[in-house]
Amino acid sequence: MFSRTVLVAVCLFLLTVHGLLSFDDVDAFEVDPTSVTHGQYTLVAIHPHDPDAFTEGLLFHDGILYESTGLDGKSFVREHSTNQFGVHVKEFRFPADVFGEGIAILDDKIYALTYKSKVGFVLDRKTFAILDTFHFETTTGEGWGMTTDGHSLIVSDGSATILFLDPSDMHVVRTINVTRADGSNVRNINELEYVQGDLLANVWFTNTILRIDAATGRVIETLNLDHLPTLEGHVGAMHGRWKADAVMNGIAYNPANQHVYVTGKLWDSMFELDLNAPRHHIRRHSY
């Protein structure tokens, strides 16, 4: 019997040969008519991901991948091996009654949100020891995604509002509302990643990533990734209460290669995307 890796490779090859799929010509961004940029993407590689990880936060820092997850009793922050994605070398476990959410790294500290507890944790990045806890407030009373621009902690709460918090005392410095070109709000903003003045954001229960102007909240572009879940093999075979929640979530930008890595809750794969220059091959890494 063919392995899933072989089947995926064969299907992609046949689709490409027959002209049905070309990663060199995919217009990933459905461009806002008033936008001045038009992006493309290439699926560069498919990496392994822990199918038990209910991903809430994903980021690179100094070449190392960090991840946070949710679910009561199963929430953690992990540092991945630099040699093998999917293999962790360090882990912090949230208290059993706490649902973990997004993370950000600032001044060599890991800031970790929680879902409804309104309490976050500050960890030493090198040791994962708890340095402090903090209280935070959002418009919904919940914590969802988090990133940083190097000054503020930038937090989503499931609404259209994104909050910029002062890390010294967690007071709200400013907020933006995520809006479409027609001025309507985009709700369910989830995981966040700050990239060169813009925010990349997951939208809960969709396979899209928004590029948002971090100054105004205006949606610049929408990245359509509907094909990625079809390459993920774990969720389709799932049964039980969490299958409906096993949606795309997690965005990490790696400055070293300028690639964006995306995954989902309980997914067995993490997808490496080049949003700049299309390439002519796909690599699946098996570690």
Side-chain angles (χ1 to χ4, degrees):
M1 180 180 292
F2 283 126
S3 68
R4 186 167 63 86
T5 299
V6 174
L7 286 173
V8 169
V10 170
C11 290
L12 290 173
F13 173 76
L14 291 174
L15 287 170
T16 303
V17 167
H18 290 286
L20 298 177
L21 178 64
S22 172
F23 289 106
D24 296 325
D25 300 319
V26 173
D27 288 338
F29 286 108
E30 299 169 350
V31 182
D32 183 322
T34 60
S35 173
V36 296
T37 60
H38 185 180
Q40 291 183 319
Y41 77 100
T42 298
L43 175 55
V44 178
I46 304 176
H47 302 278
H49 181 257
D50 181 358
D52 292 324
F54 199 79
T55 304
E56 299 292 355
L58 198 68
L59 64 85
F60 278 95
H61 182 82
D62 289 344
I64 299 173
L65 182 68
Y66 295 83
E67 181 176 15
S68 62
T69 69
L71 299 181
D72 291 345
K74 297 182 179 180
S75 295
F76 57 73
V77 178
R78 282 178 177 170
E79 177 185 317
H80 287 248
S81 167
T82 55
N83 297 318
Q84 298 183 351
F85 292 137
V87 176
H88 68 277
V89 297
K90 205 173 298 176
E91 181 178 272
F92 164 78
R93 286 274 173 178
F94 288 88
D97 60 343
V98 171
F99 191 117
E101 284 287 347
I103 54 172
I105 296 179
L106 183 61
D107 296 331
D108 235 20
K109 300 173 184 176
I110 301 174
Y111 291 83
L113 287 179
T114 60
Y115 181 29
K116 294 186 176 182
S117 304
K118 298 185 180 181
V119 174
F121 295 84
V122 184
L123 311 179
D124 183 284
R125 184 184 67 83
K126 295 178 181 178
T127 67
F128 275 35
I130 297 177
L131 300 177
D132 202 356
T133 60
F134 60 88
H135 178 82
F136 66 92
E137 293 287 349
T138 64
T139 62
T140 63
E142 299 174 353
W144 285 40
M146 183 160 60
T147 187
T148 180
D149 58 5
H151 304 284
S152 300
L153 295 173
I154 306 172
V155 173
S156 67
D157 62 7
S159 69
T161 300
I162 294 176
L163 305 94
F164 291 70
L165 307 182
D166 185 328
S168 67
D169 60 6
M170 297 300 163
H171 81 269
V172 178
V173 177
R174 68 183 181 96
T175 64
I176 56 174
N177 272 3
V178 180
T179 57
R180 303 179 181 89
D182 63 4
S184 61
N185 286 340
V186 183
R187 302 185 62 82
N188 294 325
I189 300 300
N190 203 350
E191 227 275 281
L192 300 172
E193 182 79 341
Y194 183 85
V195 182
Q196 299 173 349
D198 294 331
L199 291 167
L200 300 182
N202 286 118
V203 182
W204 190 39
F205 275 102
T206 76
N207 296 318
T208 59
I209 291 177
L210 304 181
R211 188 189 299 274
I212 301 164
D213 185 321
T216 66
R218 180 174 163 274
V219 175
I220 303 168
E221 295 169 322
T222 302
L223 177 60
N224 185 332
L225 297 176
D226 278 340
H227 74 283
L228 292 189
T230 68
L231 305 179
E232 194 283 330
H234 180 245
V235 175
M238 282 178 61
H239 300 281
R241 61 175 296 193
W242 296 116
K243 181 170 183 175
D245 294 295
V247 296
M248 183 178 291
N249 202 44
I251 309 169
Y253 173 74
N254 187 354
N257 57 17
Q258 298 186 335
H259 291 174
V260 171
Y261 297 69
V262 301
T263 189
K265 303 177 183 189
L266 307 178
W267 286 20
D268 68 358
S269 302
M270 180 174 65
F271 300 92
E272 180 180 346
L273 307 179
D274 184 347
L275 304 186
N276 299 309
R279 301 190 180 185
H280 297 277
H281 63 279
I282 299 171
R283 305 188 312 274
R284 173 177 280 276
H285 292 289
S286 297
Y287 297 118

